[in-house]
Amino acid sequence: MLIDLVKRLQILNLPSKRTKIFVFSLLNLLVFAIYFQVRNFNFINYDDASLLLHNPNVYAGLTLQGVTWAFTATDFYDWFPLTWLSHMMDFQLYGENPAGHHLTNLILHLLNTSLLLILLSRVTGNFWKSAFVAAMFALHPLHVEPVAWVMSRKDLLSTLFLFLSLMSYFHFAKSRSLLSYAGSLLFFVFSLMSKQMMVTLPALLLLMDFWPLNRWSGSGRKIKALIYEKIPFAIVSIIISGITIYVHSNSHNILTLKQAPLALRLIHIPVSYGTYIFKTIWPEKLAVFYPISKSYSGWEIGASIIAIALITVIAATGVRLRPYLFVGWSWFLLTLLPVIGIVQIGSHTVADRYMYVPIIGLFIFVTWGISDLVGNSRWQKLIPFAAIIVLLACSAKTWWYLGSWQNDITLYTKALEINRKNFVVLNNLGKALNSMGRSDEAAALYYESIQTEPEDEIAYVNLAYYYMVNNNCEMAINLLNEALRLKPDYPEARGALEYCQKKSGARSR
């Protein structure tokens, strides 16, 4: 049966409309079948609880006060009003039942998969290559996190508007319709109002002009006109980037040069790119959080630099004959640039969700590159077999890894199997156990978290609460003072300290 299917795929170089609909439907059905298990998953205490369940503006559903807050809030690390509105809508419809929230994420992932297939097949004119890229996008294990984690909604929603912006731009490039141009710009604004990662879209549009739209051919004046077209997009990027930096600075979420020295950040850039490439090729040891490393081995740095340099040379040398290699590689580099660590936000080194859009560039590079490499040789007959095997392997790995996102215990236990020194996971697992009444086990994990990362103020506060509950205010005060030394403007630590001091003072009297 499989052999018959492959033979048919080889014959259908120019698929009919019916064939396209069949492939389109089959892909979406497969994605739905794999991811439908998320309906039984819980919220997790890594942002889902604090930013959604314990956030009265979101939990109340769609209210005038909530909508106003969504557009003005600057105290939750980011500015993404449209994402907040989508969460409010979920609470309006489903309340605190996590099934509906998870299914919304799944629906967005299905929409993104469909839009990517439509977009690529239209702009490149090659349905089968586009279908493979879309299938890899839909089924790759790196995309489990943005789909299974409710608070990663912003990645899904931002990508939805990104694809709509690119489709509108394609229509503008073909028809010169100002309405299409305005639509592209508007969808770009919506994308940035969902998450600010796509600020590099103006550069992506220039790449799209180069290939597959072939708008770069002509005089220098024509190329200048292409650049001028992107000025409104660039202005939007600059404004939103400014808002993002302000919000992160206001929430003290940007690490200082003391916390993350410049030399470490510069080394971190090639290692991060190399890590993302490796995880795309071999998606093993995936986790919800990867703590930032304070040092890297020579082989990590060397291997990453060599891999990046080699791929760059391959992409650049054939830029005229094989523009898709250059565009695919540049897509990957550019879309990751805002989160590559130049401005270090948070204490993680890489994140699976960051690859939701950049991975498309690598898939374009590999898909079109292998097709060129094989050409009309005898190996061409094996391409459908190889494609099916890769997709089945990705599907199996995604199904298996998705199971670890069922709840806090399964998620963090899996992460600690990969890296026991993951202080954020240790702390979050402790909170999960504490909520289940297993406070002594939680305290042990808080201690382990502090030993792993003595500069993390959150573990000190959590451990202090444990001692407060057990009427040991002296120990709690010591821990809270340490937390305030690390973060002087930590309101929870300040409030808990005042409570303990009053309680201790009352006892001494």
Side-chain angles (χ1 to χ4, degrees):
M1 182 177 178
L2 182 62
I3 295 175
D4 291 339
L5 175 61
V6 171
K7 287 181 178 179
R8 290 179 183 179
L9 292 179
Q10 288 176 327
I11 295 172
L12 297 171
N13 292 321
L14 295 174
S16 64
K17 185 176 180 179
R18 182 178 297 179
T19 302
K20 291 180 180 180
I21 293 174
F22 171 76
V23 172
F24 181 91
S25 303
L26 180 63
L27 175 57
N28 279 277
L29 184 62
L30 179 59
V31 175
F32 186 81
I34 290 173
Y35 276 100
F36 190 55
Q37 59 180 298
V38 297
R39 73 193 187 281
N40 297 318
F41 291 5
N42 294 332
F43 292 109
I44 62 172
N45 65 14
Y46 188 31
D47 286 352
D48 283 356
S50 60
L51 301 188
L52 298 179
L53 292 172
H54 301 156
N55 184 343
N57 294 293
V58 177
Y59 187 85
L62 282 170
T63 65
L64 180 60
Q65 178 182 340
V67 172
T68 303
W69 172 86
F71 283 89
T72 58
T74 60
D75 52 349
F76 282 94
Y77 312 123
D78 241 327
W79 184 75
F80 39 79
L82 295 189
T83 300
W84 287 127
L85 293 180
S86 77
H87 287 302
M88 292 174 188
M89 177 65 77
D90 275 1
F91 276 103
Q92 187 77 34
L93 295 174
Y94 314 116
E96 59 182 60
N97 182 356
H101 300 258
H102 281 295
L103 288 176
T104 298
N105 276 22
L106 172 53
I107 291 169
L108 286 171
H109 186 53
L110 287 168
L111 286 173
N112 288 337
T113 298
S114 301
L115 285 173
L116 179 60
L117 176 53
I118 294 169
L119 172 66
L120 275 181
S121 60
R122 285 184 179 178
V123 298
T124 66
N126 193 308
F127 177 79
W128 289 117
K129 292 177 185 176
S130 300
F132 181 72
V133 170
M136 287 296 293
F137 170 85
L139 301 170
H140 198 279
L142 279 177
H143 288 172
V144 165
E145 179 176 290
V147 181
W149 184 15
V150 174
M151 261 311 293
S152 198
R153 172 79 53 80
K154 50 185 177 287
D155 296 278
L156 303 169
L157 202 58
S158 174
T159 302
L160 175 71
F161 290 123
L162 168 71
F163 289 160
L164 290 173
S165 179
L166 292 175
M167 290 181 72
S168 296
Y169 182 78
F170 169 67
H171 291 145
F172 161 74
K174 293 298 182 183
S175 66
R176 308 302 296 171
S177 166
L178 291 179
L179 185 61
S180 295
Y181 182 88
S184 179
L185 185 60
L186 181 63
F187 284 129
F188 176 46
V189 173
F190 288 166
S191 177
L192 296 183
M193 290 173 68
S194 305
K195 184 177 180 176
Q196 290 80 49
M197 188 169 166
M198 290 301 109
V199 291
T200 54
L201 178 69
L204 294 185
L205 295 180
L206 286 172
L207 287 175
M208 192 171 171
D209 286 335
F210 182 65
W211 181 86
L213 298 181
N214 298 318
R215 299 181 71 203
W216 278 55
S217 56
S219 63
R221 181 178 297 178
K222 187 175 181 180
I223 295 175
K224 284 183 180 179
L226 295 178
I227 295 174
Y228 291 151
E229 281 179 0
K230 313 306 180 291
I231 290 178
F233 292 87
I235 292 173
V236 170
S237 289
I238 292 170
I239 293 173
I240 299 296
S241 297
I243 293 174
T244 304
I245 292 173
Y246 168 77
V247 171
H248 279 289
S249 300
N250 191 50
S251 61
H252 305 285
N253 201 33
I254 298 179
L255 299 190
T256 64
L257 288 175
K258 182 180 179 181
Q259 294 171 306
L262 180 61
L264 179 62
R265 298 183 192 210
L266 294 177
I267 294 172
H268 177 72
I269 293 171
V271 174
S272 293
Y273 275 121
T275 300
Y276 284 122
I277 294 170
F278 180 77
K279 285 185 177 296
T280 301
I281 298 171
W282 194 254
E284 284 292 323
K285 295 184 178 181
L286 303 181
V288 62
F289 187 87
Y290 305 97
I292 190 168
S293 177
K294 296 183 179 178
S295 63
Y296 294 100
S297 63
W299 76 265
E300 284 182 290
I301 301 170
S304 297
I305 292 175
I306 290 172
I308 293 168
L310 181 61
I311 299 173
T312 301
V313 169
I314 293 172
T317 51
V319 67
R320 290 294 178 186
L321 293 175
R322 301 176 182 86
Y324 31 79
L325 299 182
F326 174 77
V327 170
W329 180 238
S330 299
W331 175 293
F332 167 70
L333 295 177
L334 282 171
T335 51
L336 264 179
L337 191 60
V339 292
I340 205 62
I342 300 172
V343 178
Q344 183 60 47
I345 298 174
S347 53
H348 53 279
T349 177
V350 295
D352 294 351
R353 61 189 178 277
Y354 290 165
M355 277 295 281
Y356 195 66
V357 170
I359 205 170
I360 297 169
L362 294 182
F363 291 153
I364 290 173
F365 183 96
V366 171
T367 303
W368 266 261
I370 289 179
S371 179
D372 261 2
L373 187 65
V374 173
N376 293 319
S377 69
R378 60 181 181 177
W379 298 105
Q380 187 183 37
K381 296 180 179 179
L382 296 178
I383 288 182
F385 280 111
I388 291 173
I389 291 171
V390 169
L391 291 175
L392 289 176
C394 282
S395 299
K397 176 65 177 180
T398 294
W399 171 271
W400 176 82
Y401 177 51
L402 189 60
S404 66
W405 282 82
Q406 293 179 50
N407 54 58
D408 292 324
I409 305 301
T410 57
L411 180 63
Y412 301 135
T413 301
K414 175 63 180 177
L416 289 179
E417 289 175 1
I418 296 170
N419 179 8
R420 186 70 196 185
K421 294 184 178 181
N422 195 327
F423 68 97
V424 170
V425 170
L426 285 167
N427 197 52
N428 284 357
L429 180 57
K431 289 165 62 179
L433 292 173
N434 187 65
S435 67
M436 298 168 63
R438 298 159 64 178
S439 58
D440 291 340
E441 295 176 68
L445 290 171
Y446 297 148
Y447 266 118
E448 189 176 351
S449 177
I450 290 171
Q451 291 169 351
T452 302
E453 178 49 76
E455 300 295 308
D456 179 41
E457 70 280 354
I458 297 176
Y460 289 98
V461 174
N462 287 334
L463 188 56
Y465 283 143
Y466 168 79
Y467 282 110
M468 288 167 62
V469 171
N470 287 278
N471 296 314
N472 190 340
C473 277
E474 183 180 352
M475 182 63 76
I477 287 172
N478 292 335
L479 290 164
L480 292 168
N481 281 327
E482 186 63 22
L484 288 168
R485 182 188 68 79
L486 295 169
K487 188 176 180 180
D489 58 343
Y490 197 172
E492 289 185 25
R494 181 70 59 190
L497 180 61
E498 291 175 358
Y499 171 82
C500 283
Q501 288 172 338
K502 288 179 181 179
K503 191 172 182 179
S504 297
R507 283 182 177 178
S508 63
R509 288 196 297 271

